[in-house]
Amino acid sequence: MSTVHLIDHPLVQHKLTLMRRKEASTNSFRRMLGELSTLMAYELTRDMPLQEIEIETPLETTTGKVIDGKKLVLVSILRAGNGFLDGMLNVVPGSRIGHIGLFRDPQTLQPVEYYYKMPDKMCERDAIVVDPMLATGNSAAAAVSHLKNRSQPKSIKFMCLLAAPEGIATLQAAHPDVDIYTAAIDRQLDDHGYILPGLGDAGDRIFGTK
Ligand code: URA
């Protein structure tokens, strides 16, 4: 079974609490999401492989370790996942970006893909799939399935801001190889699939559409 990593750094928890407040403006919500994604990306990239290269300091030749940011692909689940990207790119600016768009078929209630675009050479890349809210887990599980079937990245991690226990269970059952990184595990879902206590509709709050 995959591991759920709770990122409980005080700075992450502080900013998350400010974001949850209903009076947070679109501007401050977006700014705090950017800061949080930078901090979370720092934790997610903790185990990234390093390679040793030779460099010259002003005094002598030595070796140092570098990461290959180009091997990383951030996969945004549209549209709220896009709110994570700029903050994460502060830490890993060489990352490539992929997008997956899904909508829920009103008849079958199953997620249907309407957009899929990934960089090339995905089999050489480690993927971080991002979506602020892991609610039912259906979109996350479907996005990871599409990614595995169509692009076969080297590894996959999933990053969100808030996770509901239901979403964690769904994603873990479908993809026991995908670790989940979250800033909080909330209580439950309401009847409409919103996370409680949550922060509302992440897409609306990022883009100011409500
Ligand atoms: N998506 C959201 O934006 N918010 C929720 O609470 C659940 C799903």
Side-chain angles (χ1 to χ4, degrees):
M1 190 53 74
S2 70
T3 304
V4 180
H5 303 260
L6 184 61
I7 303 179
D8 58 359
H9 190 288
L11 288 173
V12 169
Q13 295 304 314
H14 175 84
K15 289 176 198 298
L16 179 59
T17 300
L18 300 184
M19 287 176 73
R20 284 183 189 268
R21 293 183 311 172
K22 64 178 181 198
E23 58 278 6
S25 66
T26 301
N27 183 13
S28 68
F29 188 92
R30 202 183 278 148
R31 185 172 38 76
M32 285 185 285
L33 180 60
E35 292 167 4
L36 260 177
S37 6
T38 302
L39 295 167
M40 291 181 76
Y42 179 79
E43 286 293 332
L44 261 102
T45 50
R46 189 175 277 287
D47 60 354
M48 271 179 85
L50 292 166
Q51 66 183 81
E52 202 149 271
I53 58 164
E54 195 172 275
I55 55 164
E56 285 188 30
T57 76
L59 302 175
E60 62 178 30
T61 301
T62 184
T63 57
K65 292 176 179 156
V66 291
I67 57 169
D68 187 355
K70 290 199 183 74
K71 291 274 162 65
L72 198 61
V73 53
L74 310 179
V75 179
S76 165
I77 302 181
L78 296 172
R79 72 181 160 150
N82 281 3
F84 269 141
L85 298 177
D86 287 347
M88 296 181 79
L89 288 169
N90 285 334
V91 184
V92 277
S95 304
R96 302 297 177 91
I97 310 285
H99 291 95
I100 300 181
L102 301 163
F103 71 89
R104 198 203 298 212
D105 183 302
Q107 310 292 312
T108 64
L109 302 183
Q110 291 308 309
V112 179
E113 182 191 294
Y114 66 85
Y115 189 78
Y116 186 92
K117 189 88 181 172
M118 293 296 142
D120 62 3
K121 301 194 186 128
M122 282 292 284
C123 57
E124 296 173 13
R125 302 183 191 281
D126 296 303
I128 302 178
V129 178
V130 298
D131 192 350
M133 311 298 270
L134 182 58
T136 63
N138 292 335
S139 303
V144 172
S145 296
H146 286 262
L147 189 59
K148 283 181 176 174
N149 294 337
R150 294 182 59 166
S151 304
Q152 294 108 33
K154 221 164 80 188
S155 71
I156 304 178
K157 291 176 179 172
F158 183 85
M159 169 172 152
C160 59
L161 214 47
L162 300 185
E166 297 91 328
I168 292 174
T170 300
L171 186 55
Q172 283 189 317
H175 300 290
D177 54 323
V178 174
D179 276 6
I180 299 168
Y181 293 75
T182 184
I185 301 172
D186 275 11
R187 193 176 71 247
Q188 66 183 92
L189 296 180
D190 73 6
D191 293 342
H192 305 285
Y194 278 89
I195 297 178
L196 297 173
L199 50 72
D201 187 298
D204 281 341
R205 298 202 67 186
I206 295 164
F207 298 110
T209 40
K210 217 171 221 170

